[in-house]
């Protein structure tokens, strides 16, 4: 931890709900920490001694509270916590929790906060006011996917992945979202992050999926959109947020907007293909695309662990001196 003290630390910030309070320098510091962790892992020189393992038992926990389904984010935060030397304890909403007895999500969060973990990592719907929850606790709160409001660690890991191909300066680069932009919390966070880091964003899809935003250039034709893009990110068709009557719309969507070997002929050989996951294969993305050499989907997942591990030190979580609290 000592070596990080020389790096820029966000002052008086210990939570990540959105990017409002972070400067470009803060964000670059997080990306630098994440890259540094990749090299450390590659070298893999450090062997845990039995003393390390014993002291690990004394370390404290980070609480993962997942009130909505997740595979990547939950497992990635768990792995990041382990690699950072913390114990992840996971609350997974569903059977056998007191939510079943009528306890509210807000009370659940405050009760787990009262058990004094090092941090709260929360995935929840729009009905929860995460900003209000953060004000009711002294603990760092990390947004792990909050309704349509945002998914900041996903946007960060997406850009971190692109930086690994483009280099750290992403100003002027063109990121295209294809599909369900309207309901995407990933897009919400990218709109914020793009303003800070200077990359351009665009959307392509049927009008029902469009988001009203001056920041997002609009394309209705996938071929034109792909020719514009330096990277394209397909987004999950969010069945649960649309009307039942989607059979026809789905067929039309696949025909016009699905990323496939055929449609991706219009994407530059030097551009990249992404998806935050989970993927509806055969809908927004055809299975064959996962084998395209331009496809970075699993790089995104891999980088997510390093980014989240770096986030812990960046926010000062578990640092005894509390230097940035
Ligand atoms: N990208 C993402 O948030 O995936 P999960 O819903 O599986 O966490």
């Amino acid at each position: 931890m000592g070596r990080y003290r020389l790096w820029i630390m966000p002052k008086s910030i210990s939570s990540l709900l959105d990017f409002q309070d972070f400067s470009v320098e803060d964000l670059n510091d997080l990306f630098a920490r994440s890259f540094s962790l990749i090299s450390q892992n590659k070298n893999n020189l450090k062997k845990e001694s039995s003393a390390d393992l014993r002291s690990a038992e004394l370390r404290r926990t980070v609480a993962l509270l997942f009130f909505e389904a997740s595979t990547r984010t939950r497992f990635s935060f768990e792995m990041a916590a382990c690699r950072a030397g913390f114990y992840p304890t996971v609350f997974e909403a569903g059977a056998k929790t007191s939510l079943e007895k009528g306890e509210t999500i807000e009370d659940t969060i405050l009760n787990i906060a009262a058990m004094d973990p090092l941090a709260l990592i929360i995935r929840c719907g729009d009905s929860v006011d995460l900003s209000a929850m953060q004000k009711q606790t002294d603990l760092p709160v990390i947004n792990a996917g909050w309704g349509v409001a945002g998914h900041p660690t996903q946007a960060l890991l997406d850009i971190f992945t692109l930086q690994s191909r483009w280099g750290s300066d992403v100003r002027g680069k063109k990121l295209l979202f294809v599909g369900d932009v309207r309901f995407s919390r990933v897009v919400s966070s990218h709109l914020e992050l793009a303003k800070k880091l200077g990359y351009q964003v665009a959307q392509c899809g049927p009008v029902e999926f469009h988001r009203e935003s001056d920041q997002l250039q609009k394309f209705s034709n996938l071929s034109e959109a792909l020719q514009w893009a330096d990277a394209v990110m397909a987004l999950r068709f969010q069945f649960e947020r649309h009307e039942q009557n989607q059979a026809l719309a789905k067929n039309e969507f696949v025909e016009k907007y699905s990323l496939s070997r055929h449609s991706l002929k219009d994407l530059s050989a030097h551009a990249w293909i992404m998806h935050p996951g989970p993927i509806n294969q055969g809908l927004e993305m055809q299975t064959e695309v996962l084998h395209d050499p331009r496809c970075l989907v699993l790089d995104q997942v891999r980088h997510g662990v390093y980014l989240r591990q770096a986030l812990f030190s960046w926010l000062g979580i578990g640092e005894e001196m509390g230097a940035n609290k």
Side-chain angles (χ1 to χ4, degrees), residues 66 69-74 123 144 151 154 185-186 276-278:
F66 278 67
S70 168
T71 296
R72 275 149 295 278
T73 312
R74 187 197 130 166
R123 168 164 294 193
H151 193 354
Q154 180 68 47
R185 53 186 165 215
V186 177

Side-chain angles (χ1 to χ4, degrees), residues 11-152:
K11 299 286 183 292
S12 311
I13 297 171
S14 60
S15 292
L16 173 66
L17 298 189
D18 52 40
F19 300 120
Q20 212 167 274
D21 297 326
F22 298 101
S23 67
V24 174
E25 289 74 23
D26 292 332
L27 293 164
N28 287 338
D29 178 38
L30 173 64
F31 291 131
R33 287 173 194 237
S34 308
F35 277 116
S36 158
L37 286 170
I38 292 183
S39 335
Q40 277 178 40
N41 193 56
K42 276 195 184 137
N43 293 334
N44 201 18
L45 295 174
K46 184 173 179 290
K47 284 209 165 52
E48 291 266 342
S49 68
S50 55
D52 288 329
L53 293 173
R54 271 197 303 280
S55 70
E57 289 165 21
L58 302 174
R59 291 175 199 162
R60 296 168 64 203
T61 63
V62 289
L64 277 66
L65 290 83
F66 278 67
F67 299 98
E68 285 189 349
S70 168
T71 296
R72 275 149 295 278
T73 312
R74 187 197 130 166
F75 207 76
S76 179
F77 266 116
E78 281 193 69
M79 289 196 72
C82 291
R83 289 184 191 177
F86 304 134
Y87 285 116
T89 51
V90 184
F91 175 92
E92 208 175 350
K96 310 282 184 213
T97 75
S98 290
L99 289 169
E100 272 194 336
K101 302 175 199 165
E103 187 165 34
T104 63
I105 290 177
E106 289 80 358
D107 272 350
T108 306
I109 294 171
L110 292 177
N111 275 264
I112 290 175
M115 296 176 203
D116 204 20
L118 287 173
L120 302 170
I121 298 160
I122 303 177
R123 168 164 294 193
C124 59
D126 286 307
S127 64
V128 179
D129 186 343
L130 213 49
S131 301
M133 296 310 301
Q134 197 247 320
K135 291 189 182 88
Q136 290 182 63
T137 169
D138 291 336
L139 297 173
V141 177
I142 298 176
N143 172 356
W146 174 20
V148 182
H151 193 354

